[in-house]
Amino acid sequence: MVVLAELAFSTSDLAQVRFAVSPMWEVAPSFRLLRAGTTYPVHRPWADQVRPRLLASGLDRGWLSELIPPTGGYVPDFLNPAPTGPAPTPAAEREAIRASPADRVRQDLDHLARHEGGLGPRLRALRDDPQSFLPRVAEELAAYWELALAPYWARVRAVLDADIRYRARLAAEHGTGHLLNVLHTSLSWDGTALRMTRRKQPLTRTTAGTGLLLIPSAFTGPGLRTRTTLPDPPQLAYPARGVGTLWEPRSVTRTDALAAVLGRSRTLVLTELEIPDSTTRLARRTGLSPAGVSQCLTALRDAGLVSAHRAGRSVLYARTAAAEALLQAASA
């Protein structure tokens, strides 16, 4: 049954509408994409690179495989703690998950059991003793983040930040009501309440805290995802603008000036990191020796232009946000 959800707003609620970037909001939808036989075309370059690593790691058969149903539907709310600031770190959000109250975990798992027709032995153990097993969930979340999302986060974060800047300008020029009215096709603002169509459960202030937390997402797909857990503000994850260009190649055509500063080998390695990669594959693509690539990566990492991420037995190197900005400026 589809209902019309209506979230009323007082003056205080409107004053507490804010945006946040939440790493954990990207975990469930990205994990589903990797486990699915097909994926959204826009994310295929990412999925083709990450899915083999996920299967090799065994994370597709761990805690997340039971907590995140593969075909959509409910994800336990404790996996998406309300961000306390504009951009919490993955570690901070994992710590909030680890500290979830036991009754909250049990309530969420009971809800999941109703949706899925029961819980497996692993989730029954988590329900019986959250304090003992939540650390294992947090450890698996950390492993998944490092394997699937951390190497790409600078690029994803740039899209999310750009979306927030755009929405903030809308609110500044036209007001919060206009912002809410054009946020998504399933939302409408009537001056006192936010209405949401195509929703299976009601959304009222009796089930949600004050204000509204808007979370742009790269992986959530075309729909909306919500979290309503008292006393937290309701969270609304929506598809960010610009996701369609997220994995498009970003060629750098003018590198001479950059090479004069970084050196030609380091500039070559940096421009080749269009997607995160290992030292061995970078050596094959650039024609440099593995030792030479390693020296370049060390220097670039020391300069804050490259980050390293463990992916099973290998290490992937990725450009940082500072590197992306530097290359963009070099091509301007």
Side-chain angles (χ1 to χ4, degrees), residues 45-233:
W46 168 83
D48 287 347
Q49 189 184 33
V50 175
R51 186 178 285 120
R53 299 204 300 266
L54 179 78
L55 298 177
S57 71
L59 289 172
D60 61 314
R61 303 182 298 276
W63 290 92
L64 296 183
S65 68
E66 297 184 32
L67 286 165
I68 304 170
T71 57
Y74 177 73
V75 174
D77 287 336
F78 70 83
L79 291 179
N80 295 115
T84 56
T89 65
E93 291 200 318
R94 289 195 300 270
E95 187 56 36
I97 292 171
R98 191 192 300 262
S100 299
D103 58 349
R104 172 79 266 165
V105 175
R106 294 189 179 103
Q107 181 178 334
D108 290 351
L109 292 178
D110 288 345
H111 193 168
L112 180 64
R114 290 193 292 272
H115 277 264
E116 300 299 312
L119 300 175
R122 190 158 20 199
L123 292 192
R124 288 200 298 271
L126 175 61
R127 189 194 183 283
D128 290 341
D129 189 1
Q131 186 174 8
S132 294
F133 290 101
L134 276 177
R136 299 190 190 182
V137 175
E139 289 171 5
E140 189 167 302
L141 284 167
Y144 175 76
W145 176 264
E146 192 68 12
L147 181 149
L149 293 173
Y152 311 88
W153 188 238
R155 179 173 284 204
V156 172
R157 178 68 188 271
V159 169
L160 302 183
D161 287 344
D163 177 272
I164 291 176
R165 288 194 297 270
Y166 171 80
R167 310 286 179 185
R169 188 171 68 249
L170 278 184
E173 294 177 353
H174 304 287
T176 304
H178 176 78
L179 164 68
L180 297 175
N181 204 41
V182 301
L183 189 67
H184 192 269
T185 55
S186 68
L187 297 176
S188 61
W189 171 256
D190 69 358
T192 60
L194 184 65
R195 297 185 176 186
M196 183 185 304
T197 59
R198 302 190 296 273
R199 182 176 168 83
K200 296 181 180 180
Q201 299 293 332
L203 177 63
T204 68
R205 285 295 172 188
T206 60
T207 59
T210 58
L212 178 65
L213 192 50
L214 300 171
I215 301 175
S217 173
F219 289 97
T220 197
L224 296 173
R225 296 170 61 212
T226 59
R227 176 187 186 270
T228 55
T229 302
L230 289 170
D232 296 334

Side-chain angles (χ1 to χ4, degrees), residues 273 275-279 282 297 306-309 315-319:
L273 282 175
I275 58 174
D277 217 336
S278 67
T279 300
L282 282 168
L297 289 170
V306 162
S307 57
H309 307 274
V315 176
L316 296 181
Y317 293 89
R319 294 197 299 232

